[in-house]
Amino acid sequence: MSDHCPTNLGPGPSGMGEYHEAALSLAGGCDILFHDAQYLDEELPARASFGHASTGYAVGLAEAAQVRQLMLYHHDPARTDDDIDSIVSSYEDAAITVTAAVQGTVLDLP
């Protein structure tokens, strides 16, 4: 899901934005969800009006929609590869597989 400001609809279950019914319907049960994840959760309050989502929001939405895999993209330009690897690692215990989009990634879809 591209840039959107989920907090415009309210704080949602974890304060990072509502899981809009249309987003849940669109993503529901998909094999892979690509989602904007510009901010860390702690960065969101100061930047929510910029129109991006946090990593935690993307993971929460993906879990609520029961997707198989989440691929985070639209990383903050200041983040290094190590930063992004650390973000992904922080979700290794999530209910879904969390990865990060990187240049040159190829996905073979059935």
Side-chain angles (χ1 to χ4, degrees):
M1 302 190 77
S2 65
D3 302 343
H4 63 287
C5 188
T7 56
N8 281 344
L9 300 173
S14 59
M16 293 177 283
E18 289 289 338
Y19 303 144
H20 191 276
E21 196 60 39
L24 289 168
S25 177
L26 178 66
C30 69
D31 290 330
I32 186 165
L33 173 64
F34 301 89
H35 199 289
D36 164 53
Q38 180 106 19
Y39 303 122
L40 300 176
D41 297 349
E42 59 270 17
E43 295 170 338
L44 186 66
R47 300 177 181 172
S49 64
F50 295 173
H52 299 284
S54 73
T55 56
Y57 175 84
V59 171
L61 177 70
E63 288 176 339
Q66 299 179 338
V67 305
R68 290 190 181 142
Q69 179 179 347
L70 170 65
M71 185 171 279
L72 304 173
Y73 80 99
H74 201 170
H75 313 291
D76 189 287
R79 300 225 197 284
T80 65
D81 290 348
D82 288 340
D83 293 339
I84 294 168
D85 289 344
S86 179
I87 291 167
V88 169
S89 293
S90 74
Y91 292 107
E92 64 186 15
D93 293 331
I96 56 164
T97 301
V98 178
T99 60
V102 297
Q103 186 172 344
T105 299
V106 175
L107 299 173
D108 292 320
L109 303 174

